[in-house]
Amino acid sequence: MIPSLSMSMGTISLPFLRSLKLLTNHHDDSWEIGGDVIDGGLTFVTAAWASTARGIDAFFASVDKLDVITLREHLYEEEDFPCKQKMSSSKKVYTREEWQKKLNEVKIRKADMNKLVMNFFVTEGYVEAAEKFHKETGTEPDMDLGTITDRMEVRKAIQCGNVQDAIERVNDLNPEILDTNPQLFFHLQQQRLIELIRSGKVEEALEFAQEELAPRGEENHAFLQELERTVALLAFEDTSSCPVGELLDVSQRQKTASELNAAILTSQSHEKDPKLPGLLKMLIWVQNQLDEKVSYPRINDFATAALEDSVS
């Protein structure tokens, strides 16, 4: 049984979104973004965004058109946002009470919060959660939940180490996904090799690497480097001391599963990444920029969205 999703998600999302909206509307200074000087608001110039918005109001107005950067892979990569703020000689100081009052004045529509949560559920494939959230809030999913079930069967196969089963399921869904994405297909074959090594099937692993992966490595230097890293696992009896031992970690399966999940979503004309992690990344970036000008209670613990007094 899943607890009330609308209540649990809202508890965290509301202060988070209020802070983001307040932060993005707080600036009245000049910013240099991608070579252009913008007075007031924020304009995010990056290929990962499909629209431009001034302030978070515009963001919510176009929430269904935005393509945000996933948090899982590039959470703290500042170069994704080529922006630098003109330095100021002094900082304005906000007390906790003053900042909380400003947060309380920010109005976030419940429908917008629900859309973001539903978007996360359907993109990441949480079918049961999406169904329950729909019943609780009336928020419609932006894709057929039946297609999510098929996609999650593929993902589950990868996470269980059944790569060949996942490949067959993907081909049943759409054979063009792997035919048109050689990098994804190589990573799936690489994962098959990893699973053979994990099972201790050394001879089978070497044969598979020579027949299936080596020819692709000859055509692509990046593939060859990844193949060499993977085969290096065979040189260590104790993989815990292996410099590439992380390939045997569960996180490697998750990485491959996420790449395949994104490709399936793209083939179905859906966004490959949920919007909510991108909003979190935006909050981190905006707070870092605002720190240059203002002293205020920050959100450091993103699991609770609790405000913490800044350290001077």
Side-chain angles (χ1 to χ4, degrees), residues 154 158 162-164 166-168 170-171 177-178 181-195 208 213 226 252-253 255-261 263:
V154 173
I158 294 288
N162 301 322
V163 183
Q164 184 57 37
I167 292 175
E168 293 173 0
V170 171
N171 286 331
I177 293 176
L178 298 183
N181 196 330
Q183 178 172 288
L184 172 61
F185 185 67
F186 176 84
H187 286 158
L188 289 171
Q189 296 291 68
Q190 179 189 23
Q191 191 64 45
R192 286 184 66 185
L193 176 59
I194 291 172
E195 299 304 334
F208 181 79
L213 294 174
E226 291 191 56
Q252 177 65 26
R253 286 180 175 177
K255 180 181 178 181
T256 304
S258 295
E259 183 180 0
L260 182 55
N261 181 62

Side-chain angles (χ1 to χ4, degrees), residues 1 15 69 78 89 96 113 118 123 161 165 175 181 186 195 213 217 257 264 290 302:
M1 175 69 81
I69 305 172
E78 297 255 346
S89 59
R96 177 181 290 270
M113 291 175 55
M118 179 61 80
T123 303
D165 180 43
N181 196 330
F186 176 84
E195 299 304 334
L213 294 174
I264 296 173
L290 191 61
F302 298 103

Side-chain angles (χ1 to χ4, degrees), residues 142-206:
D142 56 4
M143 67 178 71
D144 181 2
L145 294 184
T147 64
I148 300 178
T149 302
D150 293 334
R151 180 160 47 88
M152 286 305 98
E153 288 298 321
V154 173
R155 186 167 196 161
K156 182 179 179 181
I158 294 288
Q159 292 171 335
C160 292
N162 301 322
V163 183
Q164 184 57 37
D165 180 43
I167 292 175
E168 293 173 0
R169 288 177 179 274
V170 171
N171 286 331
D172 289 341
L173 286 175
N174 185 351
E176 292 185 359
I177 293 176
L178 298 183
D179 289 343
T180 58
N181 196 330
Q183 178 172 288
L184 172 61
F185 185 67
F186 176 84
H187 286 158
L188 289 171
Q189 296 291 68
Q190 179 189 23
Q191 191 64 45
R192 286 184 66 185
L193 176 59
I194 291 172
E195 299 304 334
L196 288 172
I197 295 173
R198 189 197 310 275
S199 301
K201 300 176 180 179
V202 177
E203 292 185 6
E204 189 176 345
L206 288 172

Side-chain angles (χ1 to χ4, degrees), residues 41-269:
L42 292 175
T43 302
F44 297 93
V45 182
T46 173
W49 293 90
S51 66
T52 300
R54 277 184 173 275
I56 199 63
D57 284 324
F59 172 81
F60 280 114
S62 59
V63 66
D64 291 329
K65 301 177 183 178
L66 285 172
D67 180 19
V68 295
I69 305 172
T70 180
L71 178 65
R72 293 187 298 269
E73 298 180 2
H74 305 293
L75 181 59
Y76 292 105
E77 293 186 5
E78 297 255 346
E79 60 269 21
D80 287 331
F81 297 98
C83 173
K84 59 182 179 180
Q85 183 181 17
K86 293 183 178 180
M87 298 300 293
S88 174
S89 59
S90 62
K91 289 185 179 182
K92 184 172 182 178
V93 178
Y94 284 95
T95 65
R96 177 181 290 270
E97 291 73 19
E98 291 171 333
W99 194 250
Q100 187 64 59
K101 181 179 179 181
K102 283 184 172 290
L103 287 176
N104 293 338
E105 292 172 353
V106 174
K107 304 303 179 184
I108 301 294
R109 293 186 303 173
K110 185 72 172 179
D112 291 323
M113 291 175 55
N114 290 343
K115 284 183 179 180
L116 288 170
V117 174
M118 179 61 80
N119 171 263
F120 180 84
F121 285 151
V122 298
T123 303
E124 291 299 303
Y126 298 110
V127 180
E128 183 181 354
E131 291 174 341
K132 185 169 181 64
F133 194 69
H134 170 63
K135 291 179 181 179
E136 288 186 3
T137 67
T139 305
E140 294 290 340
D142 56 4
M143 67 178 71
D144 181 2
L145 294 184
T147 64
I148 300 178
T149 302
D150 293 334
R151 180 160 47 88
M152 286 305 98
E153 288 298 321
V154 173
R155 186 167 196 161
K156 182 179 179 181
I158 294 288
Q159 292 171 335
C160 292
N162 301 322
V163 183
Q164 184 57 37
D165 180 43
I167 292 175
E168 293 173 0
R169 288 177 179 274
V170 171
N171 286 331
D172 289 341
L173 286 175
N174 185 351
E176 292 185 359
I177 293 176
L178 298 183
D179 289 343
T180 58
N181 196 330
Q183 178 172 288
L184 172 61
F185 185 67
F186 176 84
H187 286 158
L188 289 171
Q189 296 291 68
Q190 179 189 23
Q191 191 64 45
R192 286 184 66 185
L193 176 59
I194 291 172
E195 299 304 334
L196 288 172
I197 295 173
R198 189 197 310 275
S199 301
K201 300 176 180 179
V202 177
E203 292 185 6
E204 189 176 345
L206 288 172
E207 182 179 354
F208 181 79
Q210 183 176 0
E211 294 181 358
E212 299 294 336
L213 294 174
R216 299 180 184 277
E218 293 176 358
E219 300 172 357
N220 187 306
H221 182 66
F223 291 171
L224 180 59
Q225 289 183 317
E226 291 191 56
L227 174 57
E228 290 174 346
R229 290 182 70 246
T230 306
V231 173
L233 290 169
L234 294 170
F236 292 83
E237 293 185 4
D238 182 9
T239 56
S240 63
S241 61
C242 177
V244 292
E246 73 275 3
L247 292 175
L248 293 173
D249 194 80
V250 175
S251 62
Q252 177 65 26
R253 286 180 175 177
Q254 179 62 37
K255 180 181 178 181
T256 304
S258 295
E259 183 180 0
L260 182 55
N261 181 62
I264 296 173
L265 284 168
T266 300
S267 73
Q268 297 172 342
S269 300

